[in-house]
Amino acid sequence: MPLLDDFQTVLARLAYGGWDDLFTALELDINAADFASKLVRAHSNPQSVLALDGFEDISPQAFRAIEPGSPANSFLFHALGSPAVLTAPDGTPFTEFPTPAELDLAENVVFGIQQRSLEDIRSQLPLGAKLAVGVFAREYRNRAATSHGMHADMVFSRTGISRVGTSAPHWDGAKRAFSPLEPGDNIFSFRVLPCRYGVYLAVQLEGDESNFGPYKADRALQAHQQFQLRDTPQATVPDAEQRFWVPLHKLFSGDECLKQLSLTIDIEAEHANVKLAKIHERNMGQLSNIPDSFASGFKPPATDSEPFTIRQDLADFLDSNTFGEGVISPIPKNRLVEPTMKDGLVVGTKVPPSSGAFASFSIGPRTIPPDDQSARSAPEYVHVRTRVFSDGTTTRDLNESENVRAIVASGKHGNADPYTAHHYTDFAGDGWVSTKIAGLPGHLDRRIPAYSILAAPDFYPYVSQSELLDWALGELRSIISKRVWRVPPLTLADQRAAPNLDLRRFNAPFVPADVTVSAMVGLYESAKQADSAFSSAQKIPRVTSLPDGAAGFYAPGWDTSLDYDDEEDQPFLAAHGLGSPFPEDAKLCAAISAYWPSVAPDTSRSYGWQYQNRIVAPMTDKEIGLEGAPPWDGIVGTRRVQSDSGDFLEVEDFDHLDYIKTALANQFTLSETMKVTQEEYQARIIAWQRLASRFNVDDRNTSIQLLHFRDARPTDPDLAAAENAHFQLTAPVYEIVLAVVNGYTLVQDAVDKGRWFRRSRIAVEGKFFVGDDGRMIFKFNDDDWEI
């Protein structure tokens, strides 16, 4: 079998990387003439394998190296695929790990070593079950993150999340995942994060937790009830009444996949970024059917092509020899954002008058308002603070004007009414992954595509949105959860909506009824296996490309938004409702974090006290550039300024803050935020909420500013004095400094005229040490320490 010949070559490579003793422990001779029979032979003592490091959460039903058709019951597949398997039986670390192509091959071996016929597969299904060929994103995961939570297993979704970046992808073999940033990388770079897709024979079934899932079934219903939200159609239908496509059997090219059949499989993908086209299609939210009314500047057919509609050079398949078949990766760009140009001239939009709380940094939420059903048929936030003059080449940074808020709100600048604002292009988008197969019988002609999202970078790649939601619904008391977030921090995997139906104009094979496309499932009957008797293996943070690592479709969203098809009377997922370009969303979401229920940067401390009550998970001083490391967004956060007349608090003026300039200068970084763990992120939320509830820091009648948030230093004399006066706090301990300030003066930077600062005199200062057990020691100014 050529399949096994290739597999032996892979195992021989790994043997030289320290795996030889593990193969011996699995009773596997990788050079045996009867290699195939050795793979499927029962182990003489399966319990000895279950006792190996990294095998703690393997299925207890596993008893041989390869269990035909079952990755979860295969000792060898688990060893290759699990990020918990890192050492030989004697504890010696491996020096080599499987590549994505080798994991793909191992999966083919599992499903091809004992060929089944289509009739064999169909015989295990309920009578009349619908079969199709589907494309799925997939990962092999440890116990806690599987669809059933009983042991390590494969997890699948028909939605995959890739993330854009500025440098090539890097596969971290030890973690069996792609890495967002590597030691030695430019700290201002972002590795693109690909998504691994595969082709499977699939069956459509109603949700069944005792069979395949879905993952975290009905969690959205629980969240809506706990947060006492108004019901929506997507939040009231139980998963047992929804229909899901469930993988049965991996399909791959050649004659070793299915008995008596030879298959040829091609995977295809298309993506689109239509944000700029949608801006003009909606005419900036203004009426365009009235004579002499506002016109944004462009309309079809001009908007049907670049730079308004981008369908090329967004993403592509990686080399199959290195990464395996079906791995989609965004194409690395020099910068996350680029000025939009056409024929050597700047492309922009005319700016209508606008109003609203957010007019300072975008058109405002009413400029391109949602349609009926709260649908986002165009980007909600559009960058408009770079004016383009009539020659098409001269531009002006409107941030240089002190009254930039009024300029943006009026749509007037100088003698231009309306003025034209420079567009900027990002390289996010969405699309589909489909397959063509030759060699299957004619009755299996149905093809089910995957929905592919090219999302913005994740600044907290090792903090799980799914774990955050479980924590919010469980350990974090209900009353605190509702005070932290306006709505529950749902993941995309929890929500039910069709894929982007608007892409059908590009021939996307999507249908309105396919509302479970972002759900996650296991293999057919995977949940019928036994629960592991061992505790889960050590948690290994790693990047995921599945929807439980993406935020749900909030307004407008971070990874995806929600549009509505009036003809179909159906909501659908879409990337075109997100900010244009996406740093506009990043600014809003970070500045008023409570509005954005997601694992996302929270810099509301830095943007003026009017946003103070929005703090959720404060960023540390180091992450905002106060302790030697670069700030995550290129903007140094709240700082103390001392002078002969007293102490002042200085912060970037929010009205003038411009993340597009940060992106153009390549000053975004995740070098510090990627170090944040799940536990750390949640501990920050608790620490801040304890202090905020005790001292009412969200009182809008008081100008309170968060000046410092950081891990308390054990050598800090103030901490020692506080603990000596009362008791020792339980680690981790946070040091939090609040300042009551009086008014502010707006100061323009002497060099960069587009930067303005708010400078406020500090009237009262309070220092707080908050322990992990909830106890707090504090003092104001030079008062005594209190508890």
Side-chain angles (χ1 to χ4, degrees), residues 65 88 167 183 210 226 229 233 261 310 352 373 399 471 477 532 576 580 656 744:
S167 59
S210 66
Q226 185 163 318
L229 299 181
L261 293 176
I310 304 174
Q373 310 292 338
N399 294 303
W471 180 68
R477 295 202 316 270
S532 172
H576 56 243
S580 179
H656 294 84
Y744 69 88

Side-chain angles (χ1 to χ4, degrees), residues 472-603:
L473 298 178
E475 183 180 342
L476 192 64
R477 295 202 316 270
S478 174
I479 186 170
I480 296 179
S481 293
K482 285 181 284 188
R483 189 170 71 226
V484 175
W485 296 286
R486 180 181 59 91
V487 296
L490 293 169
T491 77
L492 187 56
D494 297 300
Q495 302 190 292
R496 306 288 177 250
N500 190 343
L501 300 179
D502 185 67
L503 293 176
R504 292 184 296 178
R505 60 194 174 110
F506 303 133
N507 298 315
F510 293 148
V511 295
D514 193 8
V515 298
T516 61
V517 67
S518 65
M520 291 162 46
V521 298
L523 278 169
Y524 181 74
E525 293 193 332
S526 59
K528 291 189 176 181
Q529 299 171 17
D531 195 352
S532 172
F534 296 87
S535 62
S536 294
Q538 180 182 3
K539 179 186 171 185
I540 301 170
R542 59 176 182 165
V543 169
T544 180
S545 60
L546 298 187
D548 64 330
F553 43 75
Y554 306 107
W558 184 282
D559 300 305
T560 186
S561 60
L562 197 66
D563 202 346
Y564 200 88
D565 189 307
D566 292 327
E567 291 185 6
E568 302 285 357
D569 192 23
Q570 177 72 48
F572 61 87
L573 302 170
H576 56 243
L578 305 178
S580 179
F582 63 71
E584 286 296 341
D585 267 346
K587 179 179 175 181
L588 169 67
C589 298
I592 51 173
S593 185
Y595 183 82
W596 178 238
S598 170
V599 176
D602 185 342
T603 51

Side-chain angles (χ1 to χ4, degrees), residues 154-173:
M154 295 290 292
V155 180
F156 303 85
S157 178
R158 291 181 40 248
T159 293
I161 316 293
S162 305
R163 296 195 181 275
V164 301
T166 57
S167 59
H170 176 82
W171 175 257
D172 185 334

Side-chain angles (χ1 to χ4, degrees), residues 243-283:
R243 299 186 67 79
F244 302 83
W245 285 102
V246 183
L248 294 164
H249 185 89
K250 173 83 182 295
L251 299 179
F252 52 93
S253 293
D255 58 6
E256 298 178 80
C257 177
L258 290 169
K259 190 180 295 184
Q260 298 178 339
L261 293 176
S262 180
L263 306 182
T264 301
I265 299 178
D266 291 316
I267 304 180
E268 301 175 338
E270 292 195 42
H271 294 88
N273 177 327
V274 297
K275 288 181 181 179
L276 298 184
K278 291 290 186 178
I279 289 169
H280 295 282
E281 183 179 305
R282 286 294 312 279
N283 197 42

Side-chain angles (χ1 to χ4, degrees), residues 149-209:
M150 296 188 296
H151 52 74
D153 206 344
M154 295 290 292
V155 180
F156 303 85
S157 178
R158 291 181 40 248
T159 293
I161 316 293
S162 305
R163 296 195 181 275
V164 301
T166 57
S167 59
H170 176 82
W171 175 257
D172 185 334
K175 290 186 176 180
R176 279 68 156 187
F178 289 99
S179 170
L181 194 67
E182 283 294 295
D185 284 353
N186 180 338
I187 61 172
F188 297 104
S189 66
F190 292 79
R191 296 271 186 178
V192 294
L193 296 176
C195 179
R196 299 174 61 230
Y197 293 91
V199 180
Y200 296 81
L201 191 65
V203 60
Q204 191 176 39
L205 300 169
E206 290 183 338
D208 184 350
E209 291 182 81

